[in-house]
């Protein structure tokens, strides 16, 4: 069985970076091989820059020695300072093209606003969510990476990693898996918290992705690998299957609960969200809540057990 000491043998070093976000620290990983590769970078702050720099120094390296940066997805804690590091080092940055709008600094604002209005989310709530998005801007520098596709191989020298498209949390989220089963999992699987399948849009069609369903497929993929997951947050995961089973089980429970509620009476996305997560909404997590609830509605519609009345945007259970 793979153990964490494989990291040292293979010269993979975690770099723990403090963030200003609720999620806490984010992990970047240094692969020290023929090339020096960083997997994810931390957000765009001087603190994060100094943190990466001092970790590299401990390995006898400096920012200038970074050859490549492999990004899992375009959230600020994962890619925010990629452009700054790459610029300093002359490094090549890789990422997935369906992450284009995130790497471009969240240029989907209009799609989000149209979506919220269609669902009759009150203006003050919309404004809060727009403000939150604006606040994030200071922690990321837009970048256009070299595009990588599912199934492509990237190597650092001795080590070779396959790019696997694992959408859900973000539309162009990728994981990198070595032939020995070491997986850089980004935000696909975290041990200590359930990660969210966020509302997002396809970069090519502007259609909203059914992100929870995509996310569940990605979770099933990582479950089958039986590898060692190096996540973007929290401890290294040796037993991915049991963590995945826990998350899939929680999804099932909430899905059942939502169907039950909708059997009693039709509800809008916002009604349902308040019914289940009123406290989280009070704490300012409306966007996460809407994302989550919408995921179950997509699921029910896909299974033909939930219907939507398009004129009122009310959902009801048919079975
Ligand atoms: Zn993320
Ligand atoms: Zn993250």
């Amino acid at each position: 069985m793979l153990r964490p000491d494989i990291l040292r043998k293979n010269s993979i070093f975690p770099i723990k970076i403090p963030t200003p976000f609720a999620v806490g620290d984010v992990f970047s990983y240094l692969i020290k091989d023929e090339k020096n590769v960083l997997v994810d970078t931390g957000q765009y702050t001087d603190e994060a820059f100094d943190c990466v720099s001092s970790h590299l120094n401990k390995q006898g390296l400096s920012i200038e020695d970074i050859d490549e940066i492999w990004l899992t997805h375009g959230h600020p804690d994962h890619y925010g300072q990629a452009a700054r590091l790459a610029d300093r080092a002359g490094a090549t940055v890789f990422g997935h093209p369906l992450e284009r709008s995130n790497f471009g600094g969240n240029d989907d604002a209009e799609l989000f606003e149209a979506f919220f209005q269609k669902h009759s989310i009150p203006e003050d709530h919309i404004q809060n969510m727009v403000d939150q998005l604006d606040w994030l801007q200071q922690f990321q520098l837009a970048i256009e990476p070299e595009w990588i596709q599912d199934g492509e191989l990237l190597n650092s020298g001795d080590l070779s990693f396959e790019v696997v498209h694992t959408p859900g949390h973000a539309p162009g989220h990728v994981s990198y898996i070595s032939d020995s089963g070491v997986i850089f999992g980004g935000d696909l699987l975290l041990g200590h918290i359930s990660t969210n399948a966020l509302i997002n849009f396809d970069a090519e069609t502007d259609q909203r992705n059914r992100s929870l369903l995509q996310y569940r497929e990605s979770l099933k993929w990582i479950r089958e690998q039986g590898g060692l997951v190096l996540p973007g947050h929290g401890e290294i995961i040796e037993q991915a299957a049991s963590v995945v089973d826990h998350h899939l089980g929680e999804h099932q429970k909430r899905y059942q609960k939502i169907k039950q509620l909708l059997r009693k009476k039709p509800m809008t996305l916002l009604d349902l969200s308040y019914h289940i997560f009123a406290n989280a909404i009070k704490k300012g997590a409306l966007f996460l809540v809407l994302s989550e609830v919408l995921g179950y509605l997509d699921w029910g519609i896909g299974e033909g057990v939930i219907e939507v009345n398009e004129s009122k945007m009310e959902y009801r259970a048919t079975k």
Side-chain angles (χ1 to χ4, degrees):
M1 186 58 204
L2 291 161
R3 302 179 60 80
D5 58 35
I6 194 173
L7 304 186
R8 206 149 288 271
K9 244 186 277 165
N10 283 341
S11 299
I12 297 174
F13 301 91
I15 302 177
K16 189 190 212 178
I17 303 169
T19 79
F21 311 120
V23 69
D25 300 329
V26 66
F27 280 101
S28 164
Y29 293 92
L30 166 68
I31 310 173
K32 200 177 165 192
D33 198 349
E34 281 167 38
K35 296 179 212 164
N36 299 307
V37 176
L38 270 193
V39 181
D40 286 346
T41 65
Q43 75 284 359
Y44 177 60
T45 56
D46 288 342
E47 186 186 28
F49 186 86
D50 294 343
C51 181
V52 169
S53 178
S54 75
H55 270 85
L56 291 177
N57 291 344
K58 277 185 212 150
Q59 302 304 327
L61 301 171
S62 66
I63 300 282
E64 286 75 11
D65 295 315
I66 302 169
D67 297 298
E68 294 183 2
I69 295 173
W70 304 351
L71 298 172
T72 60
H73 65 298
H75 289 159
D77 46 340
H78 296 261
Y79 94 101
Q81 69 169 341
R84 182 180 189 182
L85 297 175
D87 192 44
R88 177 73 74 90
T92 310
V93 183
F94 295 94
H96 193 280
L98 287 179
E99 213 48 13
R100 184 179 282 116
S101 81
N102 279 332
F103 291 140
N106 282 322
D107 60 9
D108 278 345
E110 283 170 22
L111 293 174
F112 279 109
E113 284 195 54
F115 170 82
F116 295 140
Q117 277 155 4
K118 179 175 157 201
H119 284 270
S120 306
I121 308 297
E123 267 310 314
D124 55 330
H125 280 312
I126 297 180
Q127 195 53 48
N128 281 341
M129 289 187 279
V130 170
D131 289 348
Q132 282 178 7
L133 274 181
D134 284 348
W135 177 77
L136 287 176
Q137 294 299 334
Q138 62 189 302
F139 302 111
Q140 55 191 356
L141 278 189
I143 191 169
E144 182 159 318
E146 301 285 316
W147 301 128
I148 41 168
Q149 301 290 346
D150 183 71
E152 248 177 77
L153 293 178
L154 292 179
N155 74 78
S156 53
D158 282 346
L159 292 175
S160 162
F161 287 81
E162 185 182 344
V163 177
V164 182
H165 183 213
T166 47
H169 173 71
H173 188 292
V174 296
S175 303
Y176 300 95
I177 180 168
S178 77
D179 41 18
S180 65
V182 172
I183 302 171
F184 295 110
D187 281 348
L188 170 56
L189 187 66
L190 307 179
H192 62 313
I193 46 168
S194 161
T195 116
N196 289 75
L198 302 172
I199 297 172
N200 60 57
F201 302 89
D202 187 281
E204 271 139 36
T205 64
D206 282 353
Q207 293 295 308
R208 187 174 63 78
N209 288 308
R210 299 199 307 164
S211 50
L212 180 65
L213 301 178
Q214 292 181 331
Y215 179 53
R216 289 173 59 79
E217 289 309 308
S218 297
L219 282 178
K220 288 172 193 166
W221 170 80
I222 205 168
R223 188 189 192 290
E224 293 315 307
Q225 307 313 308
L228 187 72
V229 180
L230 311 189
H233 309 274
E235 299 293 314
I236 289 169
I237 301 168
E238 290 185 74
Q239 306 288 341
S242 70
V243 181
V244 169
D245 288 344
H246 172 77
H247 291 322
L248 292 177
E250 291 297 308
H251 292 164
Q252 274 290 354
K253 279 188 223 159
R254 286 187 176 157
Y255 178 45
Q256 301 306 333
K257 180 168 178 184
I258 282 180
K259 282 191 295 184
Q260 236 171 31
L261 283 167
L262 292 180
R263 274 185 214 115
K264 290 183 196 147
K265 60 169 184 174
M267 281 194 252
T268 65
L269 174 60
L270 191 66
D271 293 337
L272 260 175
S273 298
Y274 269 107
H275 248 85
I276 308 176
F277 297 107
N279 276 336
I281 295 173
K282 257 185 231 147
K283 288 181 192 153
L286 180 61
F287 181 67
L288 298 183
V289 169
L290 294 175
S291 297
E292 172 109 19
V293 173
L294 192 65
Y296 300 110
L297 295 173
D298 286 340
W299 187 351
I301 289 170
E303 289 194 330
V305 298
I306 293 177
E307 268 179 8
V308 58
N309 172 340
E310 294 275 349
S311 66
K312 300 186 202 161
M313 288 314 286
E314 266 183 357
Y315 296 83
R316 71 181 191 98
T318 56
K319 276 179 206 154

